[in-house]
PDB file of all heavy atoms in Angstrom:
ATOM      1  N   GLU K  84       4.066  21.680  38.987  1.00 80.00           N
ATOM      2  CA  GLU K  84       4.294  20.823  40.147  1.00 80.00           C
ATOM      3  C   GLU K  84       5.382  21.378  41.058  1.00 80.00           C
ATOM      4  O   GLU K  84       5.227  21.428  42.265  1.00 80.00           O
ATOM      5  CB  GLU K  84       4.670  19.416  39.649  1.00 80.00           C
ATOM      6  CG  GLU K  84       4.801  18.377  40.719  1.00 80.00           C
ATOM      7  CD  GLU K  84       3.500  18.144  41.478  1.00 80.00           C
ATOM      8  OE1 GLU K  84       2.410  18.324  40.899  1.00 80.00           O
ATOM      9  OE2 GLU K  84       3.590  17.802  42.655  1.00 80.00           O
ATOM     10  N   VAL K  85       6.502  21.773  40.477  1.00 78.00           N
ATOM     11  CA  VAL K  85       7.649  22.194  41.288  1.00 78.00           C
ATOM     12  C   VAL K  85       7.987  23.665  41.076  1.00 78.00           C
ATOM     13  O   VAL K  85       8.456  24.346  41.969  1.00 78.00           O
ATOM     14  CB  VAL K  85       8.905  21.346  40.962  1.00 78.00           C
ATOM     15  CG1 VAL K  85       9.931  21.502  42.044  1.00 78.00           C
ATOM     16  CG2 VAL K  85       8.555  19.904  40.767  1.00 78.00           C
ATOM     17  N   GLY K  86       7.767  24.170  39.853  1.00 74.00           N
ATOM     18  CA  GLY K  86       8.028  25.595  39.618  1.00 74.00           C
ATOM     19  C   GLY K  86       9.375  25.893  39.012  1.00 74.00           C
ATOM     20  O   GLY K  86       9.560  26.906  38.371  1.00 74.00           O
ATOM     21  N   ASP K  87      10.371  25.000  39.209  1.00 77.00           N
ATOM     22  CA  ASP K  87      11.695  25.267  38.650  1.00 77.00           C
ATOM     23  C   ASP K  87      12.201  23.989  37.994  1.00 77.00           C
ATOM     24  O   ASP K  87      11.635  22.926  38.165  1.00 77.00           O
ATOM     25  CB  ASP K  87      12.644  25.727  39.766  1.00 77.00           C
ATOM     26  CG  ASP K  87      13.858  26.467  39.215  1.00 77.00           C
ATOM     27  OD1 ASP K  87      13.845  26.808  38.026  1.00 77.00           O
ATOM     28  OD2 ASP K  87      14.806  26.704  39.974  1.00 77.00           O
ATOM     29  N   GLY K  88      13.298  24.098  37.244  1.00 80.00           N
ATOM     30  CA  GLY K  88      13.841  22.900  36.584  1.00 80.00           C
ATOM     31  C   GLY K  88      13.178  22.629  35.251  1.00 80.00           C
ATOM     32  O   GLY K  88      13.242  21.518  34.733  1.00 80.00           O
ATOM     33  N   THR K  89      12.537  23.659  34.677  1.00 84.00           N
ATOM     34  CA  THR K  89      11.804  23.438  33.422  1.00 84.00           C
ATOM     35  C   THR K  89      12.744  23.228  32.248  1.00 84.00           C
ATOM     36  O   THR K  89      12.473  22.431  31.361  1.00 84.00           O
ATOM     37  CB  THR K  89      10.875  24.630  33.137  1.00 84.00           C
ATOM     38  OG1 THR K  89      11.569  25.835  33.377  1.00 84.00           O
ATOM     39  CG2 THR K  89       9.658  24.587  34.015  1.00 84.00           C
ATOM     40  N   THR K  90      13.878  23.949  32.241  1.00 86.00           N
ATOM     41  CA  THR K  90      14.836  23.751  31.149  1.00 86.00           C
ATOM     42  C   THR K  90      15.494  22.376  31.295  1.00 86.00           C
ATOM     43  O   THR K  90      15.640  21.634  30.321  1.00 86.00           O
ATOM     44  CB  THR K  90      15.920  24.851  31.170  1.00 86.00           C
ATOM     45  OG1 THR K  90      15.274  26.110  31.163  1.00 86.00           O
ATOM     46  CG2 THR K  90      16.834  24.741  29.979  1.00 86.00           C
ATOM     47  N   SER K  91      15.854  22.034  32.533  1.00 88.00           N
ATOM     48  CA  SER K  91      16.554  20.758  32.772  1.00 88.00           C
ATOM     49  C   SER K  91      15.710  19.570  32.330  1.00 88.00           C
ATOM     50  O   SER K  91      16.227  18.595  31.794  1.00 88.00           O
ATOM     51  CB  SER K  91      16.885  20.589  34.254  1.00 88.00           C
ATOM     52  OG  SER K  91      17.462  21.749  34.762  1.00 88.00           O
ATOM     53  N   VAL K  92      14.403  19.635  32.587  1.00 89.00           N
ATOM     54  CA  VAL K  92      13.568  18.465  32.284  1.00 89.00           C
ATOM     55  C   VAL K  92      13.510  18.225  30.770  1.00 89.00           C
ATOM     56  O   VAL K  92      13.584  17.087  30.302  1.00 89.00           O
ATOM     57  CB  VAL K  92      12.154  18.616  32.917  1.00 89.00           C
ATOM     58  CG1 VAL K  92      11.301  19.635  32.225  1.00 89.00           C
ATOM     59  CG2 VAL K  92      11.419  17.291  32.909  1.00 89.00           C
ATOM     60  N   VAL K  93      13.444  19.298  29.997  1.00 90.00           N
ATOM     61  CA  VAL K  93      13.420  19.154  28.534  1.00 90.00           C
ATOM     62  C   VAL K  93      14.785  18.662  28.040  1.00 90.00           C
ATOM     63  O   VAL K  93      14.881  17.812  27.153  1.00 90.00           O
ATOM     64  CB  VAL K  93      13.052  20.500  27.864  1.00 90.00           C
ATOM     65  CG1 VAL K  93      13.117  20.395  26.356  1.00 90.00           C
ATOM     66  CG2 VAL K  93      11.655  20.927  28.289  1.00 90.00           C
ATOM     67  N   LEU K  94      15.828  19.190  28.647  1.00 90.00           N
ATOM     68  CA  LEU K  94      17.189  18.813  28.254  1.00 90.00           C
ATOM     69  C   LEU K  94      17.438  17.324  28.501  1.00 90.00           C
ATOM     70  O   LEU K  94      17.991  16.624  27.644  1.00 90.00           O
ATOM     71  CB  LEU K  94      18.186  19.638  29.081  1.00 90.00           C
ATOM     72  CG  LEU K  94      19.541  19.825  28.452  1.00 90.00           C
ATOM     73  CD1 LEU K  94      19.494  21.034  27.535  1.00 90.00           C
ATOM     74  CD2 LEU K  94      20.606  20.044  29.506  1.00 90.00           C
ATOM     75  N   LEU K  95      16.994  16.855  29.676  1.00 91.00           N
ATOM     76  CA  LEU K  95      17.221  15.448  30.020  1.00 91.00           C
ATOM     77  C   LEU K  95      16.414  14.532  29.101  1.00 91.00           C
ATOM     78  O   LEU K  95      16.929  13.528  28.603  1.00 91.00           O
ATOM     79  CB  LEU K  95      16.851  15.203  31.487  1.00 91.00           C
ATOM     80  CG  LEU K  95      17.130  13.806  32.026  1.00 91.00           C
ATOM     81  CD1 LEU K  95      18.593  13.442  31.896  1.00 91.00           C
ATOM     82  CD2 LEU K  95      16.696  13.681  33.482  1.00 91.00           C
ATOM     83  N   ALA K  96      15.160  14.908  28.835  1.00 91.00           N
ATOM     84  CA  ALA K  96      14.330  14.086  27.938  1.00 91.00           C
ATOM     85  C   ALA K  96      14.964  14.041  26.552  1.00 91.00           C
ATOM     86  O   ALA K  96      15.035  12.976  25.919  1.00 91.00           O
ATOM     87  CB  ALA K  96      12.921  14.672  27.858  1.00 91.00           C
ATOM     88  N   GLY K  97      15.464  15.192  26.076  1.00 91.00           N
ATOM     89  CA  GLY K  97      16.112  15.252  24.759  1.00 91.00           C
ATOM     90  C   GLY K  97      17.350  14.383  24.700  1.00 91.00           C
ATOM     91  O   GLY K  97      17.606  13.699  23.703  1.00 91.00           O
TER      92      GLY K  97
END
Side-chain angles (χ1 to χ4, degrees):
E84 186 62 29
V85 196
D87 200 12
T89 44
T90 306
S91 312
V92 72
V93 176
L94 205 86
L95 184 58

